[in-house]
Short mmCIF file of all heavy atoms in Angstrom, two decimals:
data_model
loop_
_atom_site.label_atom_id
_atom_site.label_comp_id
_atom_site.label_asym_id
_atom_site.label_seq_id
_atom_site.Cartn_x
_atom_site.Cartn_y
_atom_site.Cartn_z
N VAL A 1424 0.84 -1.19 0.02
CA VAL A 1424 -0.01 -0.03 0.02
C VAL A 1424 0.91 1.28 0.02
O VAL A 1424 1.79 1.33 0.85
CB VAL A 1424 -0.93 0.02 1.25
CG1 VAL A 1424 -1.73 1.31 1.25
CG2 VAL A 1424 -1.82 -1.19 1.27
N VAL A 1434 3.84 -2.96 3.43
CA VAL A 1434 3.66 -4.34 2.82
C VAL A 1434 2.89 -5.20 3.84
O VAL A 1434 3.28 -5.27 5.03
CB VAL A 1434 5.01 -5.02 2.49
CG1 VAL A 1434 4.78 -6.39 1.97
CG2 VAL A 1434 5.75 -4.17 1.52
N PHE A 1435 1.77 -5.76 3.38
CA PHE A 1435 0.92 -6.63 4.22
C PHE A 1435 0.95 -8.02 3.74
O PHE A 1435 1.04 -8.30 2.53
CB PHE A 1435 -0.51 -6.08 4.23
CG PHE A 1435 -0.68 -4.75 4.88
CD1 PHE A 1435 -0.50 -3.59 4.16
CD2 PHE A 1435 -1.05 -4.63 6.21
CE1 PHE A 1435 -0.68 -2.31 4.73
CE2 PHE A 1435 -1.23 -3.44 6.86
CZ PHE A 1435 -1.01 -2.27 6.07
N GLU A 1436 0.87 -8.95 4.64
CA GLU A 1436 0.64 -10.37 4.35
C GLU A 1436 -0.87 -10.65 4.39
O GLU A 1436 -1.46 -10.41 5.39
CB GLU A 1436 1.43 -11.29 5.30
CG GLU A 1436 1.30 -12.78 4.95
CD GLU A 1436 2.12 -13.57 5.94
OE1 GLU A 1436 1.54 -13.99 6.99
OE2 GLU A 1436 3.29 -13.81 5.77
N VAL A 1437 -1.41 -11.21 3.33
CA VAL A 1437 -2.84 -11.41 3.19
C VAL A 1437 -3.14 -12.91 3.02
O VAL A 1437 -2.51 -13.54 2.19
CB VAL A 1437 -3.46 -10.61 2.11
CG1 VAL A 1437 -4.95 -10.84 1.98
CG2 VAL A 1437 -3.13 -9.12 2.20
N SER A 1438 -4.07 -13.43 3.81
CA SER A 1438 -4.54 -14.80 3.63
C SER A 1438 -6.05 -14.82 3.79
O SER A 1438 -6.64 -13.95 4.32
CB SER A 1438 -3.88 -15.74 4.69
OG SER A 1438 -4.33 -15.43 5.96
N ALA A 1439 -6.64 -15.85 3.25
CA ALA A 1439 -8.14 -15.93 3.29
C ALA A 1439 -8.65 -16.20 4.69
O ALA A 1439 -9.84 -15.93 4.97
CB ALA A 1439 -8.54 -17.08 2.35
N SER A 1440 -7.82 -16.69 5.61
CA SER A 1440 -8.31 -17.08 6.91
C SER A 1440 -8.03 -16.05 8.01
O SER A 1440 -8.39 -16.32 9.15
CB SER A 1440 -7.70 -18.43 7.31
OG SER A 1440 -6.28 -18.33 7.34
N SER A 1441 -7.37 -14.97 7.69
CA SER A 1441 -7.04 -13.99 8.71
C SER A 1441 -7.05 -12.60 8.18
O SER A 1441 -7.06 -12.39 6.97
CB SER A 1441 -5.67 -14.31 9.35
OG SER A 1441 -4.66 -14.19 8.34
N VAL A 1442 -6.97 -11.60 9.10
CA VAL A 1442 -6.89 -10.23 8.66
C VAL A 1442 -5.51 -9.94 8.14
O VAL A 1442 -4.55 -10.62 8.48
CB VAL A 1442 -7.21 -9.31 9.85
CG1 VAL A 1442 -8.70 -9.55 10.28
CG2 VAL A 1442 -6.29 -9.46 10.98
N PRO A 1443 -5.32 -8.93 7.29
CA PRO A 1443 -3.96 -8.60 6.80
C PRO A 1443 -3.00 -8.27 7.92
O PRO A 1443 -3.39 -7.61 8.86
CB PRO A 1443 -4.22 -7.38 5.93
CG PRO A 1443 -5.69 -7.50 5.51
CD PRO A 1443 -6.38 -8.14 6.64
N ARG A 1444 -1.75 -8.75 7.80
CA ARG A 1444 -0.75 -8.55 8.82
C ARG A 1444 0.34 -7.61 8.20
O ARG A 1444 0.90 -7.91 7.11
CB ARG A 1444 -0.10 -9.87 9.26
CG ARG A 1444 0.93 -9.71 10.35
CD ARG A 1444 1.48 -11.07 10.73
NE ARG A 1444 2.27 -11.62 9.64
CZ ARG A 1444 3.57 -11.45 9.43
NH1 ARG A 1444 4.22 -10.56 10.19
NH2 ARG A 1444 4.22 -12.00 8.42
N LEU A 1445 0.65 -6.54 8.95
CA LEU A 1445 1.69 -5.65 8.50
C LEU A 1445 3.04 -6.32 8.57
O LEU A 1445 3.43 -6.75 9.63
CB LEU A 1445 1.70 -4.35 9.30
CG LEU A 1445 2.81 -3.28 8.96
CD1 LEU A 1445 2.59 -2.76 7.53
CD2 LEU A 1445 2.71 -2.14 9.99
N VAL A 1446 3.78 -6.35 7.44
CA VAL A 1446 5.11 -6.95 7.44
C VAL A 1446 6.15 -5.94 7.59
O VAL A 1446 7.09 -6.09 8.45
CB VAL A 1446 5.32 -7.71 6.06
CG1 VAL A 1446 6.72 -8.30 6.05
CG2 VAL A 1446 4.30 -8.80 5.92
N ARG A 1627 -5.62 -11.82 -8.27
CA ARG A 1627 -4.77 -12.65 -7.41
C ARG A 1627 -5.30 -14.08 -7.52
O ARG A 1627 -6.48 -14.36 -7.26
CB ARG A 1627 -4.89 -12.24 -5.91
CG ARG A 1627 -4.06 -13.07 -4.99
CD ARG A 1627 -2.59 -12.91 -5.17
NE ARG A 1627 -2.16 -11.55 -4.74
CZ ARG A 1627 -0.96 -11.10 -4.78
NH1 ARG A 1627 0.02 -11.85 -5.23
NH2 ARG A 1627 -0.65 -9.83 -4.46
N ASP A 1628 -4.41 -15.04 -7.94
CA ASP A 1628 -4.68 -16.46 -7.95
C ASP A 1628 -6.03 -16.79 -8.65
O ASP A 1628 -6.87 -17.52 -8.09
CB ASP A 1628 -4.67 -16.97 -6.54
CG ASP A 1628 -3.36 -16.76 -5.81
OD1 ASP A 1628 -2.33 -16.80 -6.55
OD2 ASP A 1628 -3.34 -16.56 -4.59
#
Side-chain angles (χ1 to χ4, degrees):
V1424 177
V1434 177
F1435 293 85
E1436 183 181 89
V1437 180
S1438 66
S1440 59
S1441 64
V1442 297
R1444 182 180 68 86
L1445 178 63
V1446 177
R1627 179 72 65 180
D1628 300 328

